[in-house]
Amino acid sequence: MSTTRIALLGFGTVGQAVARLILAQPDVSLTHVFNRHVARKRVDWLPGVTWTESIDDILAARPDIVIEVVGGRDPAGHWIAQALASGADVVTANKQLIANEGDRLLADASRNGRRLLFEAAVAGGIPVIRGIREGLAGDRLTRVLGVLNGTCNYILTRMESAHLGFDEALAEAQAAGFAEADPTDDLDGYDARAKLSILARVALGYALPPERIACGSIRPVRDIDFVYAAQLGTTIRQVSRAIVEGDGLVAGVTPGLVPTGAPLARAVRNQNIVVVTGDAGGDTGFFGFGAGGGPTAVAVMSDVLALSGHRVAAPAGTPDARQPVSVRAGMRERQYVRFVVDDRPGIIAAIASACAAHAINIDSVLQIPWADKQALPFVVTLDPCEPASLVPALAAMRALPFNVAEPFAMPFVE
Amino acid sequence: MSTTRIALLGFGTVGQAVARLILAQPDVSLTHVFNRHVARKRVDWLPGVTWTESIDDILAARPDIVIEVVGGRDPAGHWIAQALASGADVVTANKQLIANEGDRLLADASRNGRRLLFEAAVAGGIPVIRGIREGLAGDRLTRVLGVLNGTCNYILTRMESAHLGFDEALAEAQAAGFAEADPTDDLDGYDARAKLSILARVALGYALPPERIACGSIRPVRDIDFVYAAQLGTTIRQVSRAIVEGDGLVAGVTPGLVPTGAPLARAVRNQNIVVVTGDAGGDTGFFGFGAGGGPTAVAVMSDVLALSGHRVAAPAGTPDARQPVSVRAGMRERQYVRFVVDDRPGIIAAIASACAAHAINIDSVLQIPWADKQALPFVVTLDPCEPASLVPALAAMRALPFNVAEPFAMPFVE
């Protein structure tokens, strides 16, 4: 087998980890590294590599494979299209790009007789794209459930195990390098929904653009919610889910209550987990580290080795995605609603009538002893109810005068 | 793409499930079904299929792919060799055959320019062979840890959750179809070690014939062991493990204590789980259903689709396995020893001196209140000790006169 020549776009944490793995493999050779201000990036453990800050240098060198670990949609998408047109196969870790422009880029690849692989774009080192697309190819999958964001999972599981407040856990995650200075994309679900969009395409065969996936932030989660969750035999995770429902989908990223023994509860710290459900195979799961240089580099290298070993059909082809007739954020399911109130008589009655007005049954009321009666947290759980009833009922509950904080609702994810 | 013609050897539970999945796929067609006493097996939902009890009919029909789900080493191995020689690719679910004769059959395949795939041979519907071989190709793996036998896991987790005795749990497993009338292969570890042998080859690159893997039976596990395990923050699983240790391996199938929150504890009922550890990617895991018609058929079909879609390198090639310099059943680790004694003064002293004579430290002594002083169960945990010390110390403890049952030892698997 002749040596596969590789150009690497991006030499940050992931790029450097990829370079180290390439060095450890026979039959593949890193010939070019591209980065802005490349002079600052040059290292002496990559002898014989051409360092450049010009994408044209990369294209002119005609590499067999271009690896893109720059991130961001622009100009990464443009570079990938150029690389495919120039005759290179491409491996990318770019989830936002694949989620938003993947179909177009895969069509580009197909038209050029090239291949575009993106194992690292979802759940880092966990071979979930390959596991679903190839390992479960014989099944019909109807559900994807996952913990797809390591930052949120680190924060939530530290709140759970060390009884930290949200802000403390976030600060710890930032100090440990598991959260960005601006954690918006992670906390508010935009990172996870890009990955869910890709998984819905790969596992369910549905086109589900990220913007059609509702996002609920984990910011309202308080330490007290873990106390109530435990009373209910559950814990709290940022749950990403896409579920086939007739000709449509239920799809969302939301904080949710998961049973303590359930697979999603098993992801701790910055781990990720994906569970898919098939008609024939039942539930099959994949877990591990969803981010970080090493795990992400493993996923990139696996794609590189698949391409260089010709283990991938050429061209990759892009079977048409189905268009979901509808995408709903939730479905008929149990709900948890946590209030913080200025305690007075009549509160439960008022909440109960807001529920009754929308034909929603209260399942239980939980209240642990609490000193501060002016800011008393307690929880109401609701029997399974449709989103169409829940949304107006929650609006009515939010308007009640005794609230001192916005009521916080999340589903029980069974 | 022309239609891929498939012959199916074996029409039991798995074979029938495979046939149903083939029907659901375009571009693949089931042309022949082979079974002994095939007349009894014929079904009307497979029109146009040739039913035969002659392997020569199968070979003469020149199928593109032969699927072997007959089981047993002989004559299945002979048939697979004949099928490869006749120009067919082969997909098998036969773990004993692959574990014992896989290298020879893969060499056969290579010599004939054909491919032999066996995803279903390990952990049924969980795409662990593909996940490791392709998804983690870029990493250097040093450890495989698994719950590989659904029968044992059903029994142990039913003992754990329903507080059943061993015999009750076994009877329940047999009634539910999760255990054979003769459960020896499952309970005593021979089934799991065949799978571990295959995983050691695929994940670690070591030739590890099943007979070099020590097996400890789960039969001595009693319900009381789960009580003590819980006191220690653990539970009990049949653990299969292969760990690189210098130029050798630690490899064994054994009942073991696993921390309650650890991945292996997460496999419940008849589920399987495999966790591999890589230098770059850390721990990555795969779980799901390791047996049963549906899950096994999904794995078989995934191999079929990989072959028919030309997603597999042809020929598959058989990189030479390393030979381990040594294979040890255990390593320096903590131990749990459960005694059942006719209570009298001096018991702890006698056990302590047996340990001290081999330089083993006692970590703790656990004893819950117990009415029957003539058959009193209690537990001693030992600080990490080498097998070379543990084995003679256990022999000395077994010989103590107050035992009314054989002392039962198992490691803490961290």
Side-chain angles (χ1 to χ4, degrees):
Chain A
M1 191 186 295
S2 66
T3 296
T4 301
R5 296 166 61 253
I6 298 176
L8 177 60
L9 312 188
F11 202 65
T13 307
V14 172
Q16 291 173 42
V18 168
R20 288 185 191 280
L21 291 185
I22 292 174
L23 283 183
Q25 290 288 341
D27 306 326
V28 294
S29 165
L30 183 60
T31 62
H32 289 72
V33 172
F34 164 93
N35 207 92
R36 275 178 304 176
H37 309 300
V38 74
R40 287 186 330 199
K41 292 284 188 177
R42 203 178 293 249
V43 295
D44 56 12
W45 50 268
L46 282 177
V49 160
T50 303
W51 301 81
T52 178
E53 46 198 26
S54 154
I55 195 72
D56 294 330
D57 284 355
I58 299 290
L59 298 171
R62 300 226 152 236
D64 299 305
I65 298 174
V66 171
I67 297 172
E68 184 273 309
V69 288
V70 173
R73 288 174 59 180
D74 190 44
H78 185 59
W79 293 341
I80 288 176
Q82 287 182 294
L84 292 168
S86 82
D89 292 329
V90 173
V91 173
T92 178
N94 194 323
K95 58 184 169 282
Q96 292 292 356
L97 185 64
I98 294 298
N100 286 285
E101 303 173 44
D103 278 351
R104 183 177 63 70
L105 290 168
L106 284 165
D108 272 8
S110 189
R111 201 170 41 247
N112 288 295
R114 304 320 312 169
R115 293 156 292 179
L116 169 61
L117 298 182
F118 48 87
E119 180 66 70
V122 179
I126 313 170
V128 62
I129 299 290
R130 189 162 271 116
I132 291 171
R133 179 175 279 172
E134 299 177 14
L136 301 176
D139 207 354
R140 179 175 163 270
L141 304 180
T142 57
R143 189 177 73 154
V144 178
L145 212 56
V147 168
L148 299 178
N149 182 273
T151 304
C152 287
N153 210 55
Y154 184 90
I155 291 170
L156 293 173
T157 61
R158 287 295 289 161
M159 290 177 75
E160 173 187 17
S161 63
H163 310 293
L164 304 181
F166 183 88
D167 293 336
E168 285 172 285
L170 171 58
E172 188 185 283
Q174 286 169 324
F178 293 132
E180 313 267 348
D182 175 3
T184 301
D185 271 6
D186 294 314
L187 303 187
D188 297 347
Y190 306 124
D191 174 84
R193 80 175 183 181
K195 297 167 182 169
L196 183 64
S197 163
I198 298 172
L199 285 176
R201 180 74 163 81
V202 170
L204 309 178
Y206 274 102
L208 180 65
E211 64 272 16
R212 295 195 71 181
I213 302 173
C215 284
S217 180
I218 68 161
R219 293 183 204 256
V221 177
R222 296 189 177 193
D223 40 0
I224 189 72
D225 291 314
F226 284 93
V227 177
Y228 286 117
Q231 286 195 1
L232 294 161
T234 63
T235 186
I236 304 169
R237 293 289 183 270
Q238 186 206 45
V239 178
S240 299
R241 55 183 181 171
I243 304 165
V244 175
E245 186 190 56
D247 293 330
L249 294 174
V250 172
V253 176
T254 176
L257 292 170
V258 299
T260 312
L264 294 197
R266 303 164 182 177
V268 294
R269 294 178 62 95
N270 61 327
Q271 287 179 333
N272 282 194
I273 188 169
V274 176
V275 183
V276 296
T277 306
D279 285 347
D283 286 356
T284 303
F286 307 85
F287 64 90
F289 293 100
T296 306
V298 168
V300 167
M301 270 314 285
S302 300
D303 280 348
V304 166
L305 294 173
L307 290 169
S308 66
H310 309 297
R311 276 205 304 265
V312 183
T318 51
D320 285 339
R322 277 172 288 179
Q323 299 296 329
V325 169
S326 61
V327 180
R328 302 204 299 159
M331 55 191 171
R332 183 177 173 80
E333 57 196 343
R334 291 172 69 203
Q335 296 287 335
Y336 167 105
V337 191
R338 188 251 303 139
F339 296 85
V340 184
V341 298
D342 182 2
D343 200 19
R344 67 186 70 167
I347 288 179
I348 299 297
I351 291 170
S353 45
C355 289
H358 297 91
I360 294 173
N361 239 9
I362 289 180
D363 171 48
S364 71
V365 178
L366 305 178
Q367 187 183 327
I368 59 169
W370 199 260
D372 183 356
K373 300 299 180 195
Q374 274 76 58
L376 175 75
F378 74 95
V379 165
V380 173
T381 64
L382 308 179
D383 276 348
C385 54
E386 289 288 341
S389 307
L390 178 69
V391 170
L394 282 176
M397 290 188 252
R398 276 196 199 99
L400 293 171
F402 46 73
N403 289 314
V404 298
E406 177 99 334
F408 170 58
M410 58 183 162
F412 286 78
V413 178
E414 309 292 349
Chain B
M1 189 186 299
S2 66
T3 297
T4 301
R5 297 167 59 252
I6 299 177
L8 177 60
L9 312 187
F11 202 66
T13 308
V14 172
Q16 292 174 41
V18 168
R20 288 185 192 280
L21 292 186
I22 292 174
L23 284 183
Q25 290 287 341
D27 305 326
V28 294
S29 164
L30 182 60
T31 61
H32 289 72
V33 173
F34 164 93
N35 207 91
R36 275 180 303 176
H37 310 299
V38 74
R40 286 188 329 201
K41 291 283 188 178
R42 203 178 293 249
V43 295
D44 56 12
W45 49 269
L46 282 177
V49 160
T50 302
W51 301 81
T52 178
E53 46 198 27
S54 155
I55 195 73
D56 294 330
D57 284 356
I58 298 290
L59 299 171
R62 299 225 153 237
D64 300 305
I65 299 174
V66 171
I67 297 172
E68 185 272 310
V69 289
V70 174
R73 287 173 60 179
D74 190 43
H78 185 58
W79 292 341
I80 288 176
Q82 287 182 294
L84 292 168
S86 81
D89 292 329
V90 173
V91 173
T92 178
N94 195 322
K95 58 185 169 283
Q96 291 293 357
L97 185 64
I98 294 297
N100 286 284
E101 304 173 44
D103 278 351
R104 184 177 61 70
L105 290 169
L106 285 164
D108 273 7
S110 189
R111 202 172 38 248
N112 288 294
R114 305 320 312 167
R115 294 155 291 180
L116 169 61
L117 299 183
F118 48 88
E119 180 66 70
V122 179
I126 313 170
V128 62
I129 299 291
R130 190 161 270 116
I132 291 171
R133 180 175 276 170
E134 299 176 15
L136 301 176
D139 207 353
R140 180 177 163 271
L141 303 180
T142 57
R143 189 177 72 154
V144 178
L145 212 57
V147 168
L148 299 179
N149 181 272
T151 303
C152 287
N153 209 56
Y154 184 90
I155 291 169
L156 293 173
T157 61
R158 286 295 290 162
M159 291 177 74
E160 174 187 16
S161 63
H163 310 292
L164 303 181
F166 184 87
D167 293 336
E168 283 172 288
L170 171 57
E172 188 184 283
Q174 286 169 324
F178 293 133
E180 312 268 348
D182 175 2
T184 302
D185 271 6
D186 294 315
L187 303 187
D188 296 347
Y190 305 123
D191 173 85
R193 80 175 183 181
K195 297 168 181 168
L196 184 63
S197 163
I198 298 172
L199 285 176
R201 180 75 163 81
V202 170
L204 308 179
Y206 273 103
L208 180 66
E211 64 273 16
R212 295 195 72 182
I213 301 173
C215 285
S217 179
I218 68 161
R219 292 183 205 256
V221 177
R222 296 189 177 194
D223 39 0
I224 189 72
D225 291 314
F226 284 93
V227 176
Y228 286 118
Q231 286 195 359
L232 294 160
T234 63
T235 186
I236 304 169
R237 292 289 183 269
Q238 186 207 44
V239 178
S240 299
R241 55 184 182 170
I243 305 165
V244 175
E245 186 190 55
D247 294 328
L249 294 174
V250 172
V253 177
T254 176
L257 293 168
V258 299
T260 311
L264 294 197
R266 302 164 184 177
V268 293
R269 296 178 60 95
N270 61 328
Q271 286 179 334
N272 282 193
I273 187 168
V274 176
V275 183
V276 296
T277 306
D279 285 347
D283 286 357
T284 303
F286 308 83
F287 63 91
F289 293 100
T296 306
V298 167
V300 167
M301 270 315 284
S302 300
D303 281 347
V304 166
L305 293 173
L307 290 168
S308 66
H310 309 297
R311 276 205 304 265
V312 183
T318 52
D320 285 338
R322 276 170 289 178
Q323 299 296 327
V325 169
S326 62
V327 180
R328 301 204 299 158
M331 54 190 173
R332 185 179 171 79
E333 56 196 342
R334 291 173 70 204
Q335 297 287 335
Y336 167 105
V337 190
R338 188 253 301 141
F339 296 85
V340 184
V341 299
D342 181 3
D343 200 18
R344 66 185 72 166
I347 288 180
I348 299 296
I351 291 171
S353 44
C355 289
H358 296 91
I360 294 173
N361 239 8
I362 289 181
D363 172 47
S364 70
V365 177
L366 306 179
Q367 188 184 326
I368 60 168
W370 200 258
D372 183 358
K373 300 300 180 195
Q374 274 77 57
L376 174 75
F378 74 96
V379 166
V380 173
T381 65
L382 308 179
D383 276 349
C385 55
E386 289 288 341
S389 307
L390 178 69
V391 170
L394 282 176
M397 289 188 254
R398 276 197 198 99
L400 293 170
F402 45 72
N403 289 314
V404 298
E406 178 98 333
F408 170 57
M410 58 182 162
F412 287 78
V413 179
E414 309 291 349

